[in-house]
Amino acid sequence: MEKLLVFGHQNPDTDAITSAISFAYYLNQIGVEAEAVALGELSDETAYALNHFHTEAPRVIKTASNEVKAVALVDHNEFQQSVSDISSLEVQYVIDHHRIDNFHTANPVYYRAEPVGCTNTVIYKMFKEKGIEIPAELAGLMLSAIISDTLLFKSPTCTDEDVVVAKALAKIADVDPNEYGLAMLKAGTNLDDISSEE
Amino acid sequence: MEKLLVFGHQNPDTDAITSAISFAYYLNQIGVEAEAVALGELSDETAYALNHFHTEAPRVIKTASNEVKAVALVDHNEFQQSVSDISSLEVQYVIDHHRIDNFHTANPVYYRAEPVGCTNTVIYKMFKEKGIEIPAELAGLMLSAIISDTLLFKSPTCTDEDVVVAKALAKIADVDPNEYGLAMLKAGTNLDDISSEE
Ligand SMILES: [Mn+2]
Ligand SMILES: [Mn+2]
Ligand SMILES: [Mn+2]
Ligand SMILES: [Mn+2]
């Protein structure tokens, strides 16, 4: 099997970036060559998370078909949110938590979406199902995404599963989710939302 | 949560009928009220399988929105293969093994598709992941679907996973997959395909 590029949506948020990293890691562990890339620059929040957990930013791509034939989409499925040349690529995997729209494939595909608050909640379950251990720094990134997507478990999209998974990830990452989460959100664009609640 | 109807595609084959039965059973086990129904009459092959494993045929429906607000699709996703009033229903679950096309939702959805030979192979993994025991007769129906979709493991769409899952199901159902499978295929429309190989 040829190498896959793995990426989240344009204007990437923390889940888009870190679910590309966590799903590429998952694919590597099951023997699929894959590289996490990004469709845009990091937000300040995401940069804070990557820095805190000692992880390099994925490189930014404009097109994928110049490099690979097949891709994995995370944290999105709608073609207009994806890489510009998505129509000339084979989508082999989608891991997501959004509605499905403007998406189609020519061939059978691995598609896994659940109505939870964060793509990394789904990826956590996939790690568990395969018995793959999650490194501490990766767990920290995945936790960052859940905190970001659920605004520290306060968004209406946050489910019990997101909370349970975040707690498990915080333990692996050895951080306090509330303390770390508030610092991460403050580093990013959510400062106003959060400080108004304090 | 209100009751869901669960169904496979129009002109149902053995996987369409039995994956509705197995996924409705799965939903009931996780506390979701669900009923398996069918979008057409049974083939002779499917009737043989249901009779062999002492299971009643799901009732046939023409429309779903007169009964429920939400549905689960198995063994298909394309709206033109689905119930006639699919556009007025909320799709809450899809379990499938086909390409994705002409499918969209307004809200986040549970979607699980894998590029394997049979929908029941995916459902078997979901039972395992939740630690739900599969009753012997249900295992026999799920095995019947794998045998049907893979033509006794000979189709190009058959994967190693289908073979492993079929063996596990045959053990639970306490049947010899080759002996039972040949009898089932002979009872159905695949008689000519099979007898030419004997
Ligand atoms: Mn996102
Ligand atoms: Mn997300
Ligand atoms: Mn079918
Ligand atoms: Mn099928």
Side-chain angles (χ1 to χ4, degrees):
Chain A
M1 191 133 60
E2 288 177 53
K3 178 179 151 178
L4 299 181
L5 291 180
V6 185
F7 45 82
H9 50 80
Q10 298 168 15
N11 304 314
D13 54 17
T14 299
D15 193 28
I17 297 290
T18 63
S19 63
I21 295 171
S22 59
F23 189 55
Y25 183 84
Y26 173 94
L27 289 173
N28 292 335
Q29 296 300 304
I30 64 165
V32 177
E33 199 189 345
E35 181 192 355
V37 294
L39 302 188
E41 299 300 332
L42 302 186
S43 71
D44 291 346
E45 178 195 284
T46 309
Y48 180 91
L50 290 179
N51 182 58
H52 194 276
F53 294 107
H54 312 103
T55 304
E56 269 186 55
R59 67 189 169 89
V60 176
I61 62 161
K62 294 267 179 236
T63 56
S65 57
N66 53 314
E67 297 189 52
V68 293
K69 292 203 180 94
V71 296
L73 309 186
V74 289
D75 200 37
H76 76 296
N77 67 84
E78 303 187 37
F79 281 6
Q80 76 276 14
Q81 301 170 359
S82 198
V83 75
S84 58
D85 57 347
I86 186 68
S87 297
S88 24
L89 292 153
E90 182 181 348
V91 179
Q92 284 191 356
Y93 295 87
V94 180
I95 318 292
D96 194 17
H97 65 125
H98 296 95
R99 70 167 186 179
I100 299 175
D101 201 14
N102 190 19
F103 177 83
H104 55 88
T105 64
N107 298 310
V109 58
Y110 186 107
Y111 199 114
R112 182 118 175 215
E114 302 191 19
V116 293
C118 181
T119 301
N120 273 293
T121 300
V122 180
I123 296 173
Y124 174 85
K125 291 167 74 173
M126 295 173 69
F127 277 124
K128 282 282 145 183
E129 286 160 14
K130 288 270 191 212
I132 299 169
E133 223 174 294
I134 305 174
E137 292 179 343
L138 184 59
L141 296 179
M142 295 171 72
L143 170 67
S144 303
I146 298 176
I147 289 166
S148 172
D149 269 8
T150 67
L151 282 175
L152 250 178
F153 317 121
K154 292 187 188 80
S155 77
T157 57
C158 186
T159 68
D160 292 348
E161 242 176 352
D162 297 299
V163 177
V164 169
V165 169
K167 277 185 188 159
L169 289 167
K171 206 170 164 186
I172 301 170
D174 195 23
V175 294
D176 177 275
N178 289 300
E179 194 185 323
Y180 166 74
L182 211 52
M184 184 199 77
L185 292 173
K186 278 183 175 169
T189 52
N190 294 302
L191 178 61
D192 296 341
D193 299 343
I194 295 299
S195 55
S196 68
E197 291 181 353
E198 285 178 316
Chain B
M1 191 134 60
E2 289 177 51
K3 178 179 153 180
L4 299 182
L5 290 181
V6 185
F7 45 83
H9 50 79
Q10 297 167 15
N11 304 314
D13 54 16
T14 298
D15 193 27
I17 297 290
T18 64
S19 63
I21 295 170
S22 58
F23 189 56
Y25 182 84
Y26 173 95
L27 288 172
N28 292 335
Q29 295 300 305
I30 65 166
V32 177
E33 198 190 345
E35 179 191 358
V37 293
L39 301 188
E41 299 299 331
L42 301 186
S43 72
D44 291 346
E45 180 196 282
T46 309
Y48 179 92
L50 290 179
N51 181 58
H52 194 276
F53 294 107
H54 311 103
T55 305
E56 268 186 57
R59 67 188 168 91
V60 177
I61 62 161
K62 294 269 178 233
T63 58
S65 58
N66 53 315
E67 296 189 51
V68 293
K69 292 203 180 95
V71 296
L73 310 186
V74 290
D75 199 39
H76 76 296
N77 66 84
E78 304 188 36
F79 281 6
Q80 76 276 13
Q81 301 169 359
S82 199
V83 74
S84 57
D85 56 347
I86 186 68
S87 297
S88 24
L89 292 153
E90 182 180 350
V91 179
Q92 284 191 356
Y93 295 87
V94 180
I95 318 293
D96 194 18
H97 65 124
H98 296 95
R99 70 167 187 181
I100 298 174
D101 200 14
N102 189 19
F103 177 83
H104 56 87
T105 65
N107 298 310
V109 57
Y110 187 107
Y111 199 114
R112 182 117 176 216
E114 302 192 19
V116 294
C118 182
T119 300
N120 273 293
T121 300
V122 181
I123 296 173
Y124 174 85
K125 291 167 75 173
M126 296 173 68
F127 277 124
K128 282 280 145 186
E129 286 160 15
K130 288 270 190 214
I132 299 170
E133 221 173 295
I134 305 173
E137 291 179 345
L138 184 59
L141 295 179
M142 296 172 72
L143 170 67
S144 301
I146 299 177
I147 289 166
S148 171
D149 269 8
T150 67
L151 282 175
L152 251 180
F153 317 120
K154 291 188 189 81
S155 78
T157 57
C158 185
T159 69
D160 291 349
E161 241 175 352
D162 297 300
V163 177
V164 169
V165 169
K167 277 184 188 159
L169 289 167
K171 206 170 161 186
I172 301 170
D174 195 24
V175 293
D176 177 274
N178 289 299
E179 195 186 321
Y180 167 74
L182 212 53
M184 185 198 76
L185 293 172
K186 278 183 176 171
T189 52
N190 294 301
L191 177 62
D192 297 341
D193 298 347
I194 294 298
S195 56
S196 67
E197 290 181 356
E198 285 180 314

